[in-house]
Amino acid sequence: MIELSGVQKAFGANRVLQGVDLAVASGESLVVIGGSGTGKSVLLKCILGLVRHDAGTIRLDGEDVTKAERDPFLAKFGMLFQGGALFDSLRVWENVAFRLVRGPGRRPRAEARTIALEKLRRVGLGPQVADLYPAELSGGMQKRAGLARAIAADPEVIFFDEPTAGLDPIMAGVINALIREIVVEMGATAITITHDMTTVRTVADRVAMLHGGLIRWQGPVADLDTTPDPYVRQFVEGSAEGPIETLR
């Protein structure tokens, strides 16, 4: 469904992606791991076309993303942003229904609200939160509302950017379980970027490690704890010793 070949991206002298090769099958849940600043978010932005890659090719369903018509292309995606990224001035249901009322194929507001309420219910939020503003929600509830927005238009592909960032361990577990349930239920293709190993083990079918601008290792999540790859071992174990340089 998603195929990257030799993808490169630099910002000035900073070569963030140095030849990424990666393929994600339809209906697969891929988790990309790696330290902060390794280019995980840039990778997602390149796939979406929000950042233009410098070299290589990115294809969605065989189509070059740089040549795709933007509205139909973006309509295939949903995204849960790291900080929630809810609009403060919109009510919760309006946030969830944002694409439905403002994107291509706009729905009447009443219909969009009905869909939003159903998506909120799916993530465990009742109708009583629909007319609240994001500032009136807890961090966990904001994350759930962001997840409801990500699935509002029933996308084919969903991106999750550090989905448990800023959450306590219990709420992080709830969000991880929700993500896994929803991805399986929808049959969506998913890419999650995270450094949280609990998220990795809960939501991944397959894992890829990004370091130094390259995919250093990829394989089934079941192989994560047995691979001898030194980059993966150091990351999983959280060790200061290994090929990944640390500030001391």
Side-chain angles (χ1 to χ4, degrees):
M1 180 115 186
I2 303 171
E3 184 178 9
L4 292 82
S5 179
V7 173
Q8 300 180 31
K9 180 61 189 177
F11 298 95
N14 183 18
R15 297 177 63 205
V16 179
L17 304 178
Q18 300 187 38
V20 171
D21 298 315
L22 193 62
V24 189
S26 179
E28 181 177 54
S29 179
L30 174 76
V31 174
V32 180
I33 61 174
S36 299
T38 55
K40 301 188 300 297
S41 293
V42 172
L43 186 69
L44 293 190
K45 290 176 182 177
C46 286
I47 295 173
L48 287 167
L50 300 178
V51 170
R52 185 69 176 262
H53 53 288
D54 301 325
T57 58
I58 303 175
R59 298 183 184 278
L60 177 72
D61 274 339
E63 182 180 17
D64 189 324
V65 301
T66 62
K67 299 176 182 177
E69 189 178 346
R70 294 304 293 166
D71 283 347
F73 173 76
L74 291 175
K76 297 180 179 181
F77 292 87
M79 184 156 183
L80 175 60
F81 296 91
Q82 178 174 340
L86 299 175
F87 297 108
D88 292 339
S89 60
L90 298 181
R91 293 178 175 85
V92 170
W93 82 263
E94 292 171 320
N95 269 280
V96 174
F98 188 81
R99 173 185 288 183
L100 301 177
V101 297
R102 305 197 184 205
R106 296 179 183 179
R107 311 284 187 92
R109 281 179 65 86
E111 180 183 345
R113 179 183 169 90
T114 298
I115 294 172
L117 289 175
E118 170 56 26
K119 299 304 182 182
L120 287 168
R121 184 203 63 76
R122 180 62 191 85
V123 300
L125 293 177
Q128 69 275 10
V129 308
D131 290 310
L132 299 179
Y133 288 93
E136 299 177 270
L137 303 183
S138 67
M141 293 172 75
Q142 288 185 25
K143 195 74 76 168
R144 289 181 188 227
L147 180 55
R149 180 175 62 183
I151 65 173
D154 297 320
E156 299 175 37
V157 183
I158 310 177
F159 289 163
F160 302 98
D161 186 357
E162 297 287 2
T164 60
L167 300 180
D168 65 72
I170 295 174
M171 183 51 63
V174 170
I175 294 298
N176 285 332
L178 266 175
I179 288 173
R180 184 64 188 177
E181 288 173 13
I182 287 171
V183 168
V184 171
E185 180 182 292
M186 295 178 64
T189 303
I191 299 181
T192 303
I193 58 176
T194 187
H195 57 263
D196 183 340
M197 294 310 301
T198 302
T199 298
V200 176
R201 300 181 200 283
T202 303
V203 309
D205 295 321
R206 197 161 56 87
V207 181
M209 176 151 194
L210 181 64
H211 180 74
L214 298 169
I215 299 296
R216 297 290 180 177
W217 178 89
Q218 57 182 305
V221 66
D223 294 349
L224 192 64
D225 292 315
T226 57
T227 176
D229 183 271
Y231 290 91
V232 177
R233 292 266 51 81
Q234 183 182 359
F235 188 87
V236 170
E237 295 166 5
S239 173
E241 302 298 329
I244 302 174
E245 296 182 1
T246 58
L247 296 176
R248 305 189 185 189

